[in-house]
Amino acid sequence: MGDQEIKYAVNSLEFKEDLLKLLNDVRRKRLDRPYLYFKMSQLNYYCNVNKRRENTYKVFNIPKKSGGVRYISAPCRSLMAIQECLNEIFKVMYEPTDPVTGFVPHRSIICNAAKHLNKDFVFNVDLSDFFGSITQARVWK
């Protein structure tokens, strides 16, 4: 499934069934997983925050280099599969600006560091519980 096909499908989305078809097309044609299909019940389940159960994410922690622990919430397999397809769609639809280097093909930590060479100051921020602070209402906005 090519980029133009994905762009056209995204711009034509009207109903959940359209999104389900796009996710399945991306999974089969772009990610080459022809034998696995998403169902509407899965999409409804993961989209409804009030019905999600604690088994949607596996929560664990890993040690930080600086001491302390970092909490990780890893999605279950079926949610991860949906997220993988969404990632393919977002990569087609989003064009990162020049300053962005993280998770962009052909850009690396070296590209990021090069922009800071010979600077007097570099400001580094680690936002605590960033993703956990994003509410559904904020996503809709």
Side-chain angles (χ1 to χ4, degrees):
M1 181 169 209
D3 290 1
Q4 289 307 110
E5 256 185 294
I6 290 175
K7 285 181 182 180
Y8 179 79
V10 167
N11 291 323
S12 302
L13 289 175
E14 288 188 56
F15 304 103
K16 284 192 292 186
E17 290 80 9
D18 300 330
L19 176 60
L20 181 65
K21 180 183 181 324
L22 176 57
L23 291 171
N24 280 320
D25 286 347
V26 166
R27 192 173 200 189
R28 284 193 325 268
K29 298 175 184 176
R30 193 162 176 119
L31 298 175
D32 196 28
R33 298 198 179 98
Y35 49 88
L36 298 169
Y37 294 89
F38 297 119
K39 299 174 188 161
M40 184 58 74
S41 59
Q42 288 175 295
L43 201 56
N44 287 331
Y45 177 79
Y46 292 122
C47 289
N48 188 337
V49 176
N50 298 323
K51 288 191 177 181
R52 265 192 258 146
R53 308 209 183 10
E54 56 276 348
N55 61 355
T56 303
Y57 288 90
K58 179 182 177 188
V59 180
F60 57 95
N61 60 52
I62 57 175
K64 289 183 179 181
K65 290 180 188 176
S66 61
V69 295
R70 179 175 313 281
Y71 292 96
I72 305 294
S73 294
C76 67
R77 267 190 238 182
S78 57
L79 177 56
M80 190 182 303
I82 291 172
Q83 291 172 337
E84 186 179 25
C85 293
L86 288 170
N87 185 45
E88 286 297 312
I89 295 166
F90 292 154
K91 286 191 298 190
V92 169
M93 299 305 293
Y94 173 71
E95 184 67 37
T97 58
D98 280 342
V100 177
T101 57
F103 302 99
V104 177
H106 312 295
R107 296 185 194 175
S108 67
I109 194 168
I110 295 170
C111 299
N112 181 36
K115 295 175 183 182
H116 299 91
L117 284 174
N118 302 317
K119 302 294 182 193
D120 291 333
F121 301 98
V122 175
F123 183 64
N124 186 17
V125 177
D126 186 7
L127 300 175
S128 177
D129 195 31
F130 174 75
F131 292 106
S133 70
I134 306 299
T135 63
Q136 185 177 13
R138 189 160 178 204
V139 171
W140 282 107
K141 265 187 176 177

